[in-house]
């Protein structure tokens, strides 16, 4: 199983901190899986211009190919202006409409305040559903107060990240069983 942990911003440290902790949990609990952290701050991505994702070169090609080859994706996103950052939206724009078909997607959100709690429900989940993702229903919302010196200090958040990792893997296995049963019906 291939899992991509995507830190969907090029600025700040909280989302990256959360995704590093998520990767740490994944690698500890599921060492048999291939886990890749894609921190968008580490890549120079082109803006989407309507081409197919496989027509891009360099970092854009690497990042989109890694996402397309993943079985599960854990998206980490900050909340900017009560929405997702443009860098994350650009990733969605670079990918095809059905990019997340048969992929499980879960979400970790960082925000300065609890006022942005529903951003995932109102903005991110509709995009993921449109792109055919199998969305893990629960997500982890982390506020400014849960961090100190680039560390998560809230034990409840750490517990919920651990649970999100489990839910992501279990959802993938459930979706995979359903997909295989459906393929057997059709004789593939």
């Amino acid at each position: 199983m291939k899992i991509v942990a995507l830190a969907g911003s090029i600025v700040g440290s909280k989302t990256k901190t959360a995704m590093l902790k998520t990767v740490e949990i994944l690698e500890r609990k599921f060492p048999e899986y291939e886990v890749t952290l894609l921190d968008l701050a580490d890549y120079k991505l082109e803006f989407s211009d309507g081409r197919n994702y496989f027509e891009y070169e360099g970092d854009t090609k690497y990042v989109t190919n890694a996402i397309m080859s993943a079985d599960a994706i854990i998206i980490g996103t900050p909340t900017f202006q009560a929405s997702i950052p443009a860098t994350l939206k650009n990733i969605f724009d670079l990918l095809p409409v059905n990019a997340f078909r048969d992929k499980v997607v879960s979400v970790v959100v960082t925000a300065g305040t609890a006022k942005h709690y529903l951003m995932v429900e109102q903005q991110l989940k509709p995009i993921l559903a449109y792109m055919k993702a199998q969305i893990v229903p629960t997500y982890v919302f982390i506020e400014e107060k849960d961090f100190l010196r680039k560390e998560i200090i809230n034990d409840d958040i750490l517990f919920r990240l651990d649970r999100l990792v489990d839910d992501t893997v279990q959802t993938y296995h459930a979706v995979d069983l359903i997909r295989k049963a459906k393929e057997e019906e059709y004789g593939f």
Side-chain angles (χ1 to χ4, degrees):
M1 178 174 171
K2 292 181 180 180
I3 303 171
V4 165
L6 177 66
S9 177
I10 59 172
V11 298
S13 64
K14 290 173 186 61
T15 299
K16 182 176 182 174
T17 298
M19 296 314 292
L20 286 169
K21 179 54 78 174
T22 302
V23 166
E24 177 186 313
I25 294 166
L26 274 165
E27 290 175 340
R28 177 177 42 83
K29 294 185 91 164
F30 302 101
E32 68 275 22
Y33 297 144
E34 179 183 328
V35 178
T36 303
L37 173 63
L38 296 176
D39 179 0
L40 295 185
D42 295 338
Y43 301 96
K44 184 172 173 55
L45 299 178
E46 296 180 54
F47 283 110
S48 173
D49 60 17
R51 286 181 280 169
N52 288 319
Y53 74 95
F54 50 81
E55 295 176 18
Y56 290 90
E57 297 294 326
D59 286 350
T60 306
K61 182 175 187 157
Y62 173 76
V63 169
T64 55
N65 281 337
I67 292 168
M68 291 299 291
S69 68
D71 299 304
I73 303 158
I74 302 176
I75 296 174
T77 181
T79 305
F80 292 159
Q81 305 292 8
S83 186
I84 62 174
T87 50
L88 181 58
K89 178 63 168 81
N90 186 51
I91 291 293
F92 297 145
D93 291 343
L94 287 164
L95 299 172
V97 171
N98 297 329
F100 299 136
R101 184 178 303 281
D102 297 325
K103 296 182 191 311
V104 169
V105 179
S106 58
V107 178
V108 175
V109 181
T110 60
T113 172
K115 293 177 183 178
H116 300 298
Y117 186 78
L118 290 176
M119 180 275 291
V120 175
E121 297 293 340
Q122 296 170 342
Q123 295 179 20
L124 189 52
K125 282 186 176 182
I127 293 168
L128 297 173
Y130 178 77
M131 296 178 77
K132 312 299 185 277
Q134 298 294 324
I135 304 168
V136 174
T138 57
Y139 53 93
V140 178
F141 184 86
I142 312 173
E143 292 182 64
E144 178 103 21
K145 67 183 181 181
D146 299 317
F147 293 95
L148 180 64
R149 296 188 189 114
K150 297 186 180 181
E151 292 289 330
I152 298 171
I153 58 169
N154 183 330
D155 288 338
D156 183 56
I157 296 297
L158 295 172
F159 171 78
R160 290 173 37 226
L161 283 172
D162 193 86
R163 178 65 189 264
L164 183 75
V165 164
D166 285 341
D167 289 351
T168 303
V169 170
Q170 290 172 3
T171 302
Y172 170 76
H173 289 301
V175 168
D176 192 46
L177 283 173
I178 293 167
R179 183 185 52 76
K180 287 177 180 171
K182 207 55 152 161
E183 286 176 358
E184 286 178 19
E185 282 181 24
Y186 295 118
F188 293 156

